[in-house]
Amino acid sequence: MTPLARAREALGTRFRLHGRGGADGIDCVGLAGLAYGCGVPSGYRWRSGDAAQVALAVEAAGLVRVADARVGDLLLVRSGPGQLHLAIASEDGVIHADAALRRVVERPGPVPWPVVARWRREEN
């Protein structure tokens, strides 16, 4: 199953900060771990805006930073001043754990935030 397909299976899951899925809910880091089948850090603070620290964690999980855009890529975006967020690229938008809507959603259209970096597994 592809990362995008796994992310789509989580659509509608309720949002919970530091959530890892199931009845407990999920956040953007938990969604990334679920989609890519890798362990995720806990106790993190995304408001630091430290993209280099996020990159180290993502690459330690086995993903490779890429420059070209493909469906299924893991995106690191700057969703607000000093705030980072992870999303999975879909055919026409992104899938992400939306704190405001309190659930995992697929947002159509262009990515609404500046993309800082993107990763994928080498075999994707």
Side-chain angles (χ1 to χ4, degrees):
M1 184 178 289
T2 67
L4 181 59
R6 285 193 289 274
R8 281 208 170 107
E9 284 188 339
L11 289 172
T13 300
R14 79 178 183 91
F15 174 87
R16 185 176 70 83
L17 185 62
H18 299 281
R20 296 295 171 256
D24 289 337
I26 198 167
D27 68 2
C28 69
V29 177
L31 180 62
L34 177 78
Y36 281 90
C38 57
V40 296
S42 60
Y44 48 82
R45 295 183 55 205
W46 287 93
R47 292 198 181 267
S48 69
D50 189 347
Q53 183 179 18
V54 175
L56 288 173
V58 170
E59 291 162 13
L63 279 72
V64 177
R65 193 170 188 158
V66 295
D68 64 314
R70 286 192 204 165
V71 169
D73 286 350
L74 177 64
L75 308 178
L76 176 64
V77 299
R78 190 163 302 283
S79 58
Q83 186 168 355
L84 299 171
H85 184 56
L86 295 172
I88 290 87
S90 66
E91 296 85 353
D92 184 40
V94 293
I95 297 174
H96 72 111
D98 192 309
L101 295 176
R102 308 300 300 163
R103 66 184 185 281
V104 175
V105 299
E106 186 164 2
R107 183 181 183 135
V111 179
W113 314 284
V115 176
V116 176
R118 59 176 66 236
W119 295 270
R120 71 178 71 108
R121 291 226 186 267
E122 287 186 321
E123 68 270 9
N124 288 351

